Amino acid sequence: MLESLVYPWISLVAWLAFMVFLTILILRLIFNYADPNPFGAVGRFGYRLRNLTDKRVYPAARFLATFRIDPRLAPILTILIALVLTYFAMQIIWNTFFVIDGLTAGVVLGNPKMFIGFTLYGLLSVLVLLILIRFISSWFVFHRTTFLGFVKRVTDPIMIPVQRLIPPVGMFDISAMLVLIAIGLLQTLVLRIFVYP
């Protein structure tokens, strides 16, 4: 029910917001290279646009500057990050609605096997989310008291044995991708055994 009625509207709003953000950052990128007259109408608009987007673009510009890449290209990196975050947010919302609909159907139909299947699928989805957070934040420092420290403690029993087999390459942890693929296969297996026999 949620998956078919509510999710399309949420998805539409989220992708429209991304398109607006994309348009604004492309305009900023154009103004970065065009450098219009600051006293003209176009120059004043460009200045306001830069002020509006500085909080979002500045971290990417600082990151690019550390690698001696032109910081004026920061809107491109910001767009890519926004695209990835929007995509994953939509996947998380869809997955949440899928699990809620499945649990509801299991209760309404009086099917405990279906309820157990969607519960297991939901727990595996939470594990996937935690591993994705760990993967994305792998270049940050973990502290025991932070949320990232909690994510590390929860995912360590799975990740450490796999990392021993496949060590990280630079700042990227390839073993996380293998664990995510394995969990995805396990989710498919859970659905086939408990939900769609």
Side-chain angles (χ1 to χ4, degrees):
M1 188 69 128
L2 290 173
E3 182 188 348
S4 60
L5 295 178
V6 179
Y7 177 75
W9 291 104
I10 292 175
S11 179
L12 178 68
V13 169
W15 286 111
L16 283 175
F18 172 75
M19 294 306 288
V20 169
F21 187 68
L22 173 72
T23 304
I24 290 170
L25 287 184
I26 287 174
L27 282 172
R28 180 187 168 122
L29 185 65
I30 291 168
F31 282 118
N32 282 349
Y33 283 97
D35 199 22
N37 176 3
F39 300 108
V42 175
R44 285 194 303 272
F45 175 73
Y47 177 75
R48 275 189 241 120
L49 192 66
R50 268 188 229 118
N51 283 342
L52 177 72
T53 57
D54 264 346
K55 286 183 182 178
R56 306 287 178 254
V57 175
Y58 180 72
R62 208 173 65 198
F63 176 77
L64 291 176
T66 59
F67 292 103
R68 299 179 193 262
I69 299 172
D70 186 4
R72 293 184 296 177
L73 294 172
I76 295 174
L77 182 59
T78 307
I79 288 168
L80 290 174
I81 292 168
L83 176 64
V84 169
L85 290 177
T86 304
Y87 173 77
F88 280 121
M90 289 300 93
Q91 291 300 313
I92 290 165
I93 291 169
W94 177 85
N95 217 359
T96 303
F97 287 168
F98 178 69
V99 170
I100 291 170
D101 285 348
L103 291 172
T104 306
V107 169
V108 169
L109 297 173
N111 187 344
K113 189 176 176 185
M114 183 182 212
F115 186 84
I116 291 169
F118 275 105
T119 303
L120 291 173
Y121 184 89
L123 291 173
L124 289 171
S125 296
V126 170
L127 186 59
V128 165
L129 177 63
L130 293 177
I131 290 172
L132 277 172
I133 291 170
R134 179 183 174 132
F135 176 72
I136 291 169
S137 62
S138 60
W139 49 83
F140 296 113
V141 177
F142 288 104
H143 297 290
R144 290 183 178 268
T145 57
T146 64
F147 175 70
L148 295 178
F150 167 75
V151 168
K152 188 176 186 318
R153 285 193 304 277
V154 170
T155 56
D156 271 350
I158 297 166
M159 295 304 300
I160 288 177
V162 179
Q163 285 174 340
R164 285 188 189 133
L165 292 172
I166 304 163
V169 178
M171 68 168 51
F172 296 106
D173 190 2
I174 297 172
S175 61
M177 290 299 176
L178 294 176
V179 171
L180 290 174
I181 291 169
I183 292 173
L185 293 173
L186 191 58
Q187 283 181 312
T188 303
L189 189 65
V190 163
L191 288 178
R192 293 219 174 167
I193 291 172
F194 290 97
V195 180
Y196 309 120

